[in-house]
Amino acid sequence: AKLAMHHGLLKFLTTAVCIFAAFSAVYEYYLLDSDIFIDYLELSAASATWLLNLIGQNVERIASGWGPITKIIWAEDNSRLVVVTSGCDASVVFATLLSTVLAWPSAWPSRFVATMVGLFVMYCCNILRIAGMLLVDIYLPNHFELFHNWILPNLLILGPLLYFIVWTQLSGTHPNQTETASTF
């Protein structure tokens, strides 16, 4: 009886895990190191460079010439830099957002809009993370590893989780409901 009561939640979780696994497989076998992936990393580096220059930092973006690596260098001290490469792409963040929002029961147009808005928000958060890493390297260089490995990635991971919580409230639905009337 309890299993039947939670059938919708189990269906949501199973669907989310399957979407996450499918995204991860496509990422690993088709996107990683593809031209699209390299263009995405270069766009991310260019966006972070633009943001840093907008706030008064004098930075340059330098392509490495090989593979998906771009450097953002502080012009006043070129030893202060951030390397944008695979790992800076926030793929786990995007996969988490995609899998949870798409698996949550709601009308498909609402899911589509929520997914597109969420991906844009997470992209912007990732740009802030990349820019933040260079600011830490410039102003708090002794703490770079702490911010690079722990603080900024964990803040970024909170993004899709918080977005998902907001989405569940806006959707007006729950997996255990028999109907999926959306208020979004």
Side-chain angles (χ1 to χ4, degrees):
K2 286 190 178 197
L3 183 61
M5 186 172 79
H6 297 292
H7 179 264
L9 192 56
L10 289 172
K11 180 179 176 185
F12 159 72
L13 290 172
T14 302
T15 304
V17 167
C18 289
I19 293 170
F20 188 92
F23 177 86
S24 297
V26 168
Y27 171 80
E28 183 71 29
Y29 296 108
Y30 298 105
L31 290 178
L32 192 61
D33 296 331
S34 69
D35 289 342
I36 292 171
F37 182 76
I38 292 168
D39 290 344
Y40 167 75
L41 289 177
E42 288 177 3
L43 176 65
S44 297
S47 299
T49 301
W50 174 83
L51 177 62
L52 287 163
N53 284 320
L54 183 70
I55 64 169
Q57 299 298 317
N58 186 12
V59 299
E60 301 173 25
R61 183 175 63 91
I62 301 172
S64 70
W66 62 274
I69 295 176
T70 301
K71 294 179 182 178
I72 303 173
I73 297 176
W74 190 39
E76 295 174 34
D77 177 357
N78 63 9
S79 70
R80 301 293 174 212
L81 59 96
V82 170
V83 177
V84 180
T85 187
S86 58
C88 296
D89 58 6
S91 61
V92 172
V93 171
F94 291 131
T96 301
L97 182 119
L98 283 169
S99 62
T100 56
V101 172
L102 290 176
W104 192 257
S106 186
W108 278 105
S110 296
R111 290 186 219 191
F112 178 76
V113 169
T115 300
M116 292 298 106
V117 169
L119 291 174
F120 178 75
V121 168
M122 293 307 112
Y123 176 78
C124 291
C125 289
N126 192 42
I127 297 309
L128 289 172
R129 179 182 67 95
I130 293 168
M133 284 192 296
L134 183 57
L135 291 174
V136 168
D137 194 37
I138 293 169
Y139 298 106
L140 301 167
N142 293 337
H143 301 288
F144 182 81
E145 291 303 318
L146 174 68
F147 276 84
H148 177 260
N149 294 326
W150 294 99
I151 295 173
L152 294 174
N154 285 315
L155 286 175
L156 189 62
I157 289 169
L158 285 175
L161 297 176
L162 293 174
Y163 188 86
F164 174 67
I165 291 168
V166 169
W167 161 240
T168 62
Q169 298 304 303
L170 289 175
S171 74
T173 62
H174 190 275
N176 288 334
Q177 292 175 331
T178 54
E179 296 183 28
T180 60
S182 173
T183 59
F184 179 74

